[in-house]
Amino acid sequence: MALISPKKLQQAETAPRTVTVLGATGSIGRNTVDLLARNRERFQVVALTAGSNVKLLAEQARLLEPQLAIIGDPDKLGNLRDAMQGTAVEVMAGEVAVIEAASWPADIVVAGIVGAAGLRPTLAASRQGSIVAIANKECLVCAGDLVLAEVERSGAVLLPVDSEHNAIFQVFEAGNAAEVERLILTASGGPFRSWTLEQMASATPAQAVAHPNWDMGRKISVDSATMMNKGLELIEATYLFPVATEQIEVLVHPQSVVHSMVAYVDGSVIAQMGTPDMRTPIAYTLSWPERMAAPAKRLNLAEIGQLSFEEPDFMRFPALTLARATLTHGNGSTAILNSANEVAVAGFLDGQI
Ligand code: NAD
Ligand code: MG
């Protein structure tokens, strides 16, 4: 299924783009806020939402002056109201308010909530027919068909934020879908890339979230350690790009410089590269189809010296095989995989597993 519709591509733009950030206080959200703050003339912020971090949300709202600031935790409405006193920002709280914020008209909604909790807000964003810059991969994994149906119905455009999918999207634009032979999703291999199964059995949450290259939220960091993240990304790719599951490969690349590749029928393989900084793919979605300046450290290949690649170890990282298997079992299985993983990761981070 190809779901990147070019519908909005031709829109002439003169006014600043209006943007809503769902999950503004998270890792994706903070990177997005940083870009918005550096480009105040280019963007006008409609809404910022967060789960429970009132202090950071209020700081971000004072900086970006959105129309709305919403906190998911309904008990924190008073705190947010106090923190926003003296500003023109309207405040709301609760799950329904987050969904409502997502459905307010905006040119771009950045879907940066983690986990299946992001599904309803992302669906609401898809329904209002804007560009949905999707970081929240779990909502595609558990209900990709639903999200795509809403996107198609409303004429919204789905742009991938996930660095691998953003890389493929950038390269895909250079060619023709019918000429694509394979997608090669690169994976850093995470902090346990060279650990034995025995060592992994006693891994602690602190070790699991210490990603060698990327600074991310705790859940995705654990997913990277088990390589379930790459499994989820494999499923994510099947919804974003018009290729069969068998055409998508995973390749371990510990330096995280090549963010992914597309192999074409003539033998050409085109890669997108950069230092590991999410502001680069996020900037591409915010300014698409143009590019805008982003402050990521510049890639210096001479300094890095060598790039290496290896096959994934399916014995030590069974999540990859499991994720691929769910794709042959239909949409329900990917949702079950995602739910089981969310519960297991939360249990692990909580010290229960
Ligand atoms: P995070 O934990 O750092 O942030 C999550 C955000 O969602 C926070 O703002 C939090 O307040 C909000 N949130 C959580 N539960 C909520 C709820 N029930 N209601 C409302 N808001 C809620 O996570 P992250 O690392 O920024 O990841 C966000 C998404 O982006 C994930 O799906 C992840 O897989 C994906 N992603 C992240 C990165 C990265 O670099 N962090 C890279 C690629 C993809
Ligand atoms: Mg990724």
Side-chain angles (χ1 to χ4, degrees):
M1 264 171 279
L3 278 298
I4 293 161
S5 133
K7 254 184 206 169
K8 299 241 160 150
L9 183 65
Q10 287 88 9
Q11 258 184 13
E13 286 187 279
T14 44
R17 284 185 164 188
T18 54
V19 183
T20 284
V21 186
L22 307 175
T25 56
S27 163
I28 290 291
R30 291 193 308 273
N31 280 311
T32 307
V33 165
D34 178 73
L35 289 168
L36 297 175
R38 290 168 190 269
N39 294 279
R40 291 300 302 275
E41 69 304 330
R42 246 182 127 121
F43 302 103
Q44 212 172 349
V45 182
V46 176
L48 297 176
T49 83
S52 60
N53 189 343
V54 168
K55 188 168 174 281
L56 181 56
L57 177 65
E59 269 170 36
Q60 294 175 326
R62 284 183 179 273
L63 178 70
L64 295 177
E65 301 170 302
Q67 288 167 258
L68 288 170
I70 287 117
I71 194 82
D73 182 346
D75 297 336
K76 301 218 161 135
L77 179 61
N79 299 12
L80 182 60
R81 199 171 271 147
D82 291 347
M84 292 314 298
Q85 222 154 48
T87 72
V89 180
E90 201 178 314
V91 301
M92 296 197 289
E95 191 190 340
V96 174
V98 172
I99 296 167
E100 196 187 320
S103 58
W104 269 41
D107 295 323
I108 307 170
V109 179
V110 179
I113 295 177
V114 62
L119 177 60
R120 291 164 103 203
T122 304
L123 278 174
S126 307
R127 281 186 196 115
Q128 63 98 10
S130 64
I131 292 174
V132 181
I134 191 158
N136 182 206
K137 68 192 82 182
E138 295 89 349
C139 76
L140 285 177
V141 173
C142 65
D145 288 332
L146 262 181
V147 175
L148 295 188
E150 293 299 345
V151 162
E152 206 156 18
R153 194 171 305 150
S154 71
V157 179
L158 203 52
L159 298 182
V161 168
D162 212 347
S163 58
E164 297 76 3
H165 306 73
N166 190 272
I168 290 168
F169 176 56
Q170 292 193 35
V171 172
F172 228 104
E173 284 197 318
N176 179 338
E179 298 160 357
V180 169
E181 208 166 67
R182 284 172 305 138
L183 305 185
I184 302 156
L185 285 177
T186 52
S188 69
F192 303 156
R193 182 173 61 88
S194 54
W195 286 32
T196 62
L197 277 173
E198 234 168 33
Q199 288 173 309
M200 280 192 237
S202 54
T204 64
Q207 290 169 322
V209 301
H211 197 280
N213 307 332
W214 296 95
D215 179 13
M216 309 182 287
R218 285 162 66 78
K219 193 263 177 185
I220 185 176
S221 297
V222 174
D223 286 346
S224 297
T226 58
M227 288 193 78
M228 178 57 89
N229 183 50
K230 213 48 55 180
L232 300 178
E233 289 183 354
L234 170 72
I235 300 167
E236 180 184 13
T238 66
Y239 286 109
L240 291 170
F241 304 109
V243 296
T245 313
E246 309 76 59
Q247 288 173 280
I248 310 172
E249 290 173 11
V250 172
L251 180 66
V252 175
H253 165 46
Q255 296 84 10
S256 299
V257 166
V258 174
H259 295 313
S260 275
M261 299 179 255
V262 179
Y264 286 93
V265 289
D266 60 359
S268 291
V269 178
I270 310 184
Q272 186 265 353
M273 296 190 274
T275 55
D277 186 324
M278 286 308 292
R279 289 176 298 184
T280 297
I282 295 169
Y284 192 65
T285 63
L286 293 176
S287 60
W288 180 82
E290 292 166 14
R291 288 183 189 270
M292 68 183 214
K297 181 172 181 250
R298 272 29 190 173
L299 183 61
N300 183 337
L301 287 171
E303 198 175 86
I304 295 166
Q306 287 194 331
L307 299 181
S308 57
F309 301 91
E310 61 201 42
E311 288 290 341
D313 182 338
F314 296 99
M315 282 295 290
R316 286 183 305 124
F317 298 99
L320 289 170
T321 311
L322 212 54
R324 204 177 272 282
T326 62
L327 283 167
T328 55
H329 287 85
N331 201 26
S333 321
T334 60
I336 293 165
L337 176 79
N338 185 67
S339 306
N341 184 58
E342 284 197 30
V343 173
V345 171
F348 174 68
L349 285 172
D350 239 21
Q352 294 164 14
I353 301 177

